[in-house]
């Protein structure tokens, strides 16, 4: 718990001294490098007051909210292979599952030599516009490419991996990459926002009926055309990148139909795709409990990504084993923000 507090404090001090969009010194094994997404005020106005919050009880343990400084934190693996994955935690657009979903997945990816990029995106529940998280995702992908040389990343092997509401965010990132969701602010915005591949894990895909029962739908509905704008399946084209989906058939939060309609749209548009449906598992399983059906998804995803040519090294170690480096926090600790529905979709 103290590890993340120290990491966040170090990042805040470094960012304050260097300014937005300026990287910290070249990343070292075990130490993240932070980049503010925006050089000035984020687009669209709005936003929360007070410090960033990290939940400490219930299903919100380790979940971040009240994000006023959207940013990416990049961890360098001990043996990087050039691939990078932008990680998008779930939480119904009212919090981000950093502790439960993102950090364990980042540790696993780093063990494979993949560079994990943790995105702290703005949340509509924190009085940001509904478009804010989608602006942040586009900007994050562009910044990863802009800083690829110093981070040892191949700009043609940058993917996104999202859980639940983060799956919705990843889905819009992979389908609406050509849409100008914000005015260009610097040279980084000349780079492509298209991810090279995408993983959607127990995702919220559609805001259309009968899938309009999620917290994600409620938080995005502040935008009048949200159903059309953020139902991922409506935006799939042949240019959508290869996509991996995994979900449990008994998911009580995001109906399995979300993955089914997405897979159908991908196949109709001749997009390379792979879908895994587990008979049981529920929702919000992150890497999956050892021995459970969903715990197979990391190996399946890594094997798929290798076949697609994005991961260049074999998964030689058990997925649940953390990398020796980078040293990452386990459970975040900060001010508590556990108010509201525990609906994580």
């Amino acid at each position: 718990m103290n590890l993340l507090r120290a990491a966040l404090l170090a990042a805040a001090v470094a960012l304050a001294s260097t300014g937005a969009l300026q990287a910290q010194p070249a990343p070292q094994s075990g130490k993240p490098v932070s980049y503010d997404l925006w050089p000035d005020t984020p687009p669209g106005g709005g936003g929360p007051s007070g410090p960033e919050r990290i939940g400490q009880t219930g299903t919100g343990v380790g979940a971040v909210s009240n994000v006023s400084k959207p940013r990416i934190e990049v961890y360098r693996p001990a043996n990087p292979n050039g691939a990078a994955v932008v990680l998008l935690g779930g939480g119904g657009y009212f919090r981000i599952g950093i502790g439960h979903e993102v950090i364990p997945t980042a540790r696993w990816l780093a063990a494979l030599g993949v560079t994990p990029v943790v995105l702290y995106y703005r949340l509509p529940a924190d009085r940001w516009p509904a478009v804010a998280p989608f602006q942040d995702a586009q900007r994050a992908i562009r910044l990863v490419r802009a800083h690829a040389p110093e981070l040892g990343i191949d700009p043609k092997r940058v993917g996104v991996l999202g859980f639940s509401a983060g799956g919705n965010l990843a889905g819009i990132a992979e389908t609406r990459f050509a849409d100008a969701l914000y005015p260009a602010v610097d040279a980084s915005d000349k780079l492509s926002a298209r991810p090279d591949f995408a993983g959607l894990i127990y995702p919220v895909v559609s805001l259309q009926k009968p899938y309009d029962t999620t917290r994600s739908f409620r938080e995005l509905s502040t935008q009048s055309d949200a159903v059309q704008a953020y139902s991922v399946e409506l935006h799939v084209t042949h240019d959508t990148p290869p996509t991996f989906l995994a979900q449990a058939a008994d998911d009580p939060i995001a109906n399995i139909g979300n993955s089914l309609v997405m897979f159908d749209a991908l196949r109709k548009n001749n997009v390379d795709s792979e879908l895994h449906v587990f008979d049981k598992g529920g929702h919000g399983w992150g890497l999956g409990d050892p021995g459970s059906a969903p715990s197979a998804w990391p190996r399946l995803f890594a094997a798929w990504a290798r076949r697609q040519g994005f991961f260049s090294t074999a998964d030689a170690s058990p997925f649940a084993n953390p990398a020796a480096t980078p040293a990452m926090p386990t459970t975040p600790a900060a001010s508590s923000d556990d108010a509201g529905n525990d609906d994580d979709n």
Side-chain angles (χ1 to χ4, degrees):
M1 295 173 69
N2 291 331
L3 288 174
L4 183 60
R5 185 181 293 111
L8 290 172
L9 179 60
V13 171
L15 285 168
S17 64
T18 57
L21 288 182
Q22 293 182 5
Q24 311 319 307
Q28 302 173 9
S29 293
K31 297 181 180 180
V33 57
S34 282
Y35 301 88
D36 282 1
L37 293 186
W38 308 99
D40 297 306
T41 304
S49 59
E52 201 162 274
R53 299 169 183 163
I54 303 178
Q56 298 182 30
T57 62
T59 61
V61 169
V64 175
S65 61
N66 223 51
V67 175
S68 59
K69 187 186 287 287
R71 64 196 183 278
I72 53 175
E73 291 186 352
V74 185
Y75 292 86
R76 169 165 282 185
N79 298 294
N81 62 29
V85 172
V86 179
L87 294 170
L88 310 171
Y93 290 112
F94 78 105
R95 61 190 182 194
I96 309 170
I98 298 294
H100 173 61
E101 293 170 335
V102 170
I103 292 301
T105 304
R107 187 180 295 112
W108 165 68
L109 287 169
L112 303 186
V114 177
T115 298
V117 179
V118 178
L119 175 59
Y120 291 77
Y121 56 90
R122 290 173 291 158
L123 299 163
D126 289 336
R127 298 181 297 280
W128 292 107
V131 71
F134 307 105
Q135 294 172 329
D136 289 350
Q138 278 195 346
R139 178 72 174 169
I141 294 165
R142 288 177 168 134
L143 284 186
V144 170
R145 290 197 167 107
H147 295 283
E150 71 204 61
L151 295 171
I153 291 170
D154 179 351
K156 295 181 180 179
R157 289 194 289 148
V158 177
V160 291
L161 180 62
F163 302 85
S164 195
N168 178 263
L169 183 52
I172 293 299
E174 69 163 330
T175 56
R176 295 191 59 193
F177 55 85
D179 293 345
L181 298 183
Y182 63 89
V185 295
D186 59 27
S188 296
D189 290 322
K190 296 179 180 179
L191 301 174
S192 173
R194 179 185 183 272
D196 296 298
F197 59 99
L200 312 183
I201 312 302
Y202 45 90
V204 174
V205 168
S206 184
L207 305 187
Q208 298 190 95
K209 293 182 181 298
Y211 308 117
D212 58 345
T213 59
T214 63
R215 179 77 182 252
S216 296
F217 170 81
R218 297 196 296 275
E219 296 298 346
L220 294 175
S221 291
T222 55
Q223 182 172 319
S224 61
D225 67 342
V227 172
Q228 171 63 35
Y230 307 128
S231 289
V232 180
E233 77 278 15
L234 300 180
H235 302 284
V236 175
T237 70
H238 184 62
D239 293 327
T240 299
T243 303
F244 176 97
L245 300 111
Q247 192 167 9
D250 66 348
D251 191 325
I253 303 297
N255 186 286
I256 186 59
N258 282 275
S259 286
L260 299 179
V261 298
M262 183 63 177
F263 186 67
D264 184 57
L266 291 164
R267 300 305 293 172
K268 286 180 177 177
N269 285 276
N270 297 313
V271 177
D272 288 341
S273 53
E274 184 166 306
L275 167 64
H276 293 274
V277 178
F278 306 109
D279 59 342
K280 296 187 183 301
H283 188 82
W285 18 268
L287 285 180
D289 293 332
S292 68
S295 69
W297 83 260
R299 283 192 179 279
L300 294 168
F301 176 72
W304 172 83
R306 288 195 300 271
R307 291 194 302 273
Q308 294 287 333
F310 298 114
F311 290 4
S312 61
T313 59
D315 181 1
S317 59
F319 81 85
N321 287 356
T325 54
M328 295 186 187
T330 51
T331 302
S335 58
S336 177
D337 181 25
D338 299 311
N341 195 327
D342 271 347
D343 181 351
D344 261 345
N345 52 15

